Amino acid sequence: MSLKIGIVGFGSFGQFLAKTMIKQGHTLRATSRADYSHFCLQMGIQFFRDVAEFLEFDNDVILICTSILSLSEVLSSMPLTRLQRPTLFVDVLSVKEHPRALLLRVLPVESDILCTHPMFGPDSGKDGWKDLTFMYDKVRIRDEAICSKFIHIFASEGCRMLQMSCEEHDKLAAKSQFITHTIGRTLAEMDVKSTTIDTKGFQTLVQLKDTTTRDSFDLYSGLFVYNRFAVQELEHLERALHRVKDMLLQRKSEELGTQKAEC
Ligand SMILES: NC(=O)c1ccc[n+]([C@@H]2O[C@H](COP(=O)([O-])OP(=O)(O)OC[C@H]3O[C@@H](n4cnc5c(N)ncnc54)[C@H](OP(=O)(O)O)[C@@H]3O)[C@@H](O)[C@H]2O)c1
């Protein structure tokens, strides 16, 4: 059965998800800070400039695809009393404890909450979602049928489905996704570029720089600001770089010191 899904935040990731949902036959509506009415018309999506009007429509699911940094502002600008019936709220933010806490705080008690993180994006998912990981946490679910239908959107594309707590997600994401983006952004700060003598390893680094900087800086900084585990991983990285530098300097002084003695 197809779902009526209302997307809040129709930027790059919202549009990316919408394409597959349309392909699967779901009915989509969208609202966003910017005006995407022209683009939505081409995709067969009804676009609402007025959030209240958007909420009054009969949505099975409200899918939140806004930036991590703007979530609080976006939720507080939504007149939630205009909802016509209990609705499943799903978020796809790349951090999980923060939306979980906010959604539990602001949503009406009759609204169900599913916190998710598709661990892929417009680059890694451009050729399909097969074997890409979809993490989810059923934070507050009473209507299991609607929730299962939503989860099936990803399962039916062949995603690797992973049920996990928001806390566990943030611990792991700080060690993996945040570090990946930090290395990519650091390489960009160094302005690394392909050379005529690239090794495969270096090509991988250039690619990492390119893919991570294609995501907005809002997204990257959100991974740090709203994941309480990220700061310690940044410190680990800094300390590790210093240790590697110290090892090299020590070896250099041993080597050159030996050579001097031999002369
Ligand atoms: N890109 C990925 O690969 C990926 C993967 C998994 C999850 N996610 C998550 O998906 C969400 C969207 O990611 P994204 O790649 O599209 O880029 P993003 O920069 O994280 O978010 C862009 C979206 O946030 C909205 N937005 C930003 N500031 C706003 C504000 N002050 N008020 C209202 N809306 C605001 C934008 O609306 P307008 O366009 O209308 O300005 C747009 O819809 C993020 O939470 C991200 O963590 C992204």
Side-chain angles (χ1 to χ4, degrees):
M1 191 202 88
S2 69
L3 288 170
K4 293 182 280 265
I5 302 171
I7 299 181
V8 180
F10 206 61
S12 129
F13 196 62
Q15 291 170 26
F16 166 72
L17 292 179
K19 282 179 198 139
T20 297
M21 290 174 181
I22 295 260
K23 180 197 79 178
Q24 291 186 359
H26 302 289
T27 304
L28 297 197
R29 289 144 193 162
T31 187
S32 209
R33 173 180 60 171
D35 183 4
Y36 291 99
S37 45
H38 200 67
F39 182 64
C40 280
L41 193 66
Q42 291 165 352
M43 289 179 80
I45 297 172
Q46 194 174 0
F47 186 79
F48 293 81
R49 294 248 57 193
D50 181 8
V51 187
E53 214 186 306
F54 168 85
L55 289 176
E56 278 170 1
F57 254 74
D58 181 33
N59 295 301
D60 297 311
V61 179
I62 302 274
L63 179 60
I64 300 170
C65 300
T66 53
S67 68
I68 299 165
L69 299 182
S70 69
L71 178 69
S72 172
E73 184 188 334
V74 169
L75 286 176
S76 55
S77 71
M78 289 171 84
L80 295 165
T81 50
R82 304 288 277 271
L83 287 166
Q84 299 297 302
R85 62 174 170 108
T87 311
L88 169 64
F89 277 73
V90 182
D91 87 281
V92 294
L93 273 60
S94 308
V95 296
K96 294 274 49 83
E97 286 192 317
H98 171 60
R100 180 185 188 278
L102 262 182
L103 292 171
L104 280 170
R105 192 178 329 140
V106 306
L107 291 182
V109 284
E110 63 274 16
S111 298
D112 282 358
I113 302 171
L114 178 69
C115 288
T116 80
H117 187 194
M119 308 296 306
F120 52 91
D123 264 318
S124 50
K126 67 179 186 301
D127 299 322
W129 300 356
K130 189 164 167 9
D131 298 330
L132 300 176
T133 301
F134 179 78
M135 169 272 162
Y136 63 99
D137 186 1
K138 293 181 175 185
V139 174
R140 185 170 73 200
I141 301 296
R142 274 154 297 198
D143 190 336
E144 280 287 347
I146 293 281
C147 180
S148 296
K149 276 172 204 151
F150 182 83
I151 288 173
H152 187 68
I153 293 174
F154 294 85
S156 64
E157 293 295 318
C159 285
R160 177 175 158 258
M161 307 301 287
L162 202 58
Q163 195 166 358
M164 168 187 290
S165 73
C166 291
E167 179 181 355
E168 184 62 13
H169 167 279
D170 284 3
K171 273 187 198 157
L172 295 176
K175 288 180 189 292
S176 56
Q177 186 190 27
F178 172 67
I179 291 298
T180 309
H181 280 249
T182 299
I183 301 280
R185 293 271 165 186
T186 307
L187 294 170
E189 282 301 311
M190 291 170 67
D191 201 20
V192 300
K193 286 189 178 81
S194 281
T195 72
T196 47
I197 55 163
D198 282 2
T199 57
K200 289 278 175 208
F202 187 68
Q203 283 171 359
T204 307
L205 287 186
V206 174
Q207 206 183 347
L208 175 67
K209 178 206 80 173
D210 291 343
T211 52
T212 50
T213 51
R214 267 201 284 279
D215 282 329
S216 70
F217 190 73
D218 271 5
L219 194 159
Y220 172 56
S221 49
L223 298 180
F224 180 72
V225 177
Y226 288 104
N227 184 335
R228 67 191 164 106
F229 304 104
V231 67
Q232 74 199 40
E233 296 308 326
L234 188 59
E235 283 160 6
H236 281 167
L237 182 66
E238 249 183 322
R239 285 200 297 273
L241 186 58
H242 280 126
R243 281 199 302 275
V244 171
K245 185 179 170 190
D246 287 348
M247 284 190 279
L248 286 174
L249 291 176
Q250 187 178 340
R251 174 55 65 93
K252 186 173 180 178
S253 93
E254 283 165 12
E255 282 294 317
L256 298 186
T258 315
Q259 279 175 22
K260 230 184 220 164
E262 281 169 358
C263 286

